[in-house]
Amino acid sequence: IKKIGPGQFLVKKLSMFRLEIVPRNFAAGSLVKNYPYNLGDRLTPPLIHFHLKLGHDPILTDGLIANLGLASNEELSAMKQLAQKVNIVLSAFLKKRGIILADFKFETGNDSEGKLTVGDEISSDSGRFWDEKNLISHDKDIFRCQTGDVKKAYKKLLSKIKSG
């Protein structure tokens, strides 16, 4: 809701779903590893898929989500709509700052009134953020692929976000 001090935030209590929602605008990571995509292929329309929060985070179909009782069809539809909205807003916000949002993950939960809400951070650790001029990564792939100084890259991304 708001920052109340150094490292302290006022938040809503949510009843969280055991799902990670992954909007993807460009092919990267496991999508390239497991499917016939090339790194950087634009995904039109963007893909939205779900992973079970279970250590290795297996990908789920709508049928598996329903069969496992993880969300109703109505809840799943609402999650997809929320993912599309968040993706559109965040992509536009970053584009104005010269950053391409390749993909990201987040979680959701219901508040005390039953309203579906984002219940997770969206950060360099949970998404792929590329410089639009040279496609240099400012995210978790720097650590995963050992391609540079993670702290320096995260600071550069923060600077680009603040300067916009």
Side-chain angles (χ1 to χ4, degrees):
I1 298 171
K2 68 179 181 178
K3 185 175 183 175
I4 57 175
Q8 295 180 322
F9 297 88
L10 179 63
V11 299
K12 278 186 181 181
K13 183 174 182 171
L14 302 175
S15 175
M16 299 298 290
F17 289 92
R18 290 182 43 214
L19 298 168
E20 286 185 348
I21 304 169
V22 184
R24 293 182 180 268
N25 300 306
F26 294 86
S30 63
L31 201 63
V32 172
K33 180 180 174 187
N34 297 318
Y35 299 95
Y37 289 107
N38 295 308
L39 179 64
D41 284 352
R42 179 179 271 288
L43 305 171
T44 306
L47 295 177
I48 296 175
H49 57 91
F50 295 82
H51 292 264
L52 178 61
K53 297 224 9 104
L54 184 71
H56 61 285
D57 300 338
I59 196 167
L60 297 170
T61 63
D62 291 6
L64 280 168
I65 291 169
N67 195 275
L68 291 169
L70 298 170
S72 69
N73 288 334
E74 294 79 20
E75 291 167 328
L76 189 57
S77 178
M79 284 183 231
K80 289 176 184 179
Q81 288 176 359
L82 180 60
Q84 289 170 340
K85 284 182 186 178
V86 171
N87 189 33
I88 289 167
V89 169
L90 190 55
S91 292
F93 173 83
L94 293 169
K95 183 177 175 69
K96 289 178 185 174
R97 289 151 178 84
I99 302 165
I100 295 170
L101 179 60
D103 62 25
F104 65 103
K105 74 94 184 163
F106 69 99
E107 298 171 39
T108 60
N110 288 320
D111 66 14
S112 59
E113 287 92 41
K115 181 181 177 196
L116 185 68
T117 304
V118 174
D120 197 2
E121 68 168 349
I122 299 173
S123 71
S124 298
D125 287 334
S126 63
R128 290 186 175 85
F129 303 86
W130 301 337
D131 188 288
E132 79 175 354
K133 291 180 183 168
N134 53 25
L135 300 181
I136 290 175
S137 179
H138 297 294
D139 55 59
K140 63 185 179 178
D141 280 347
I142 294 168
F143 171 76
R144 285 182 172 171
C145 304
Q146 301 292 305
T147 58
D149 183 328
V150 175
K151 188 173 182 179
K152 185 177 174 182
Y154 282 21
K155 282 184 176 183
K156 180 160 181 141
L157 178 62
L158 179 60
S159 174
K160 287 177 78 84
I161 288 171
K162 284 183 172 182
S163 70

